[in-house]
């Protein structure tokens, strides 16, 4: 798998988890068809992408990369819906990204 395709599949996995997280957020208020659909589509996309990636990438590095991308997407979504991004949240996101930087070099 070439590098460009690998990063694309990592983004699909992270977005799948982020979409499922959005579905969980919607379901926390009230179960709707939209919440269920987001959960199913998100987890399906993430699972399919991870199975593809596990054929070529070390498991530890794979999960850290996916979590880093997912963290950025979910924190961005939380900010967009007005849940605020406090200093603690921002620091947590920075630490996840710092961990990614440490293991990638």
């Amino acid at each position: 798998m070439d590098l460009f395709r690998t990063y694309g599949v990592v983004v699909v996995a992270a977005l799948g988890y982020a979409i499922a997280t959005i579905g969980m957020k919607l379901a926390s208020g009230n179960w709707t068809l939209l919440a269920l659909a987001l959960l199913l589509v998100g987890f399906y996309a993430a699972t399919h992408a991870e199975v593809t990636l596990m054929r070529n990438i070390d498991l530890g590095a794979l999960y850290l990369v996916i979590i880093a991308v997912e963290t950025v997407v979910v924190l961005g979504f939380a900010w967009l819906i007005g849940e605020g991004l406090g200093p603690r949240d921002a620091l947590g996101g920075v630490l996840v990204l710092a961990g990614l930087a440490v293991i990638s070099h």
Side-chain angles (χ1 to χ4, degrees):
M1 187 181 305
D2 65 359
L3 191 60
F4 183 72
R5 182 168 183 253
T6 299
Y7 285 131
V9 178
V10 165
V11 169
V12 169
L15 287 175
Y17 281 122
I19 289 168
T21 300
I22 292 166
M24 286 185 262
K25 178 64 177 172
L26 292 174
S28 70
N30 185 23
W31 276 97
T32 63
L33 190 56
L34 176 61
L36 181 61
L38 290 174
L39 280 164
L40 293 174
V41 168
F43 282 131
Y44 176 79
T47 302
H48 186 67
E50 279 191 42
V51 167
T52 301
L53 289 166
M54 285 182 188
R55 295 180 182 135
N56 300 314
I57 299 176
D58 178 53
L59 186 62
L62 172 65
Y63 274 101
L64 194 52
V65 170
I66 290 171
I67 288 170
V69 175
E70 180 190 1
T71 298
V72 171
V73 172
V74 170
L75 288 177
F77 176 75
W79 180 76
L80 281 174
I81 64 171
E83 290 214 352
L85 185 61
R88 182 176 158 197
D89 302 318
L91 178 61
V94 167
L95 288 173
V96 169
L97 296 174
L100 174 61
V102 167
I103 69 148
S104 64
H105 288 99

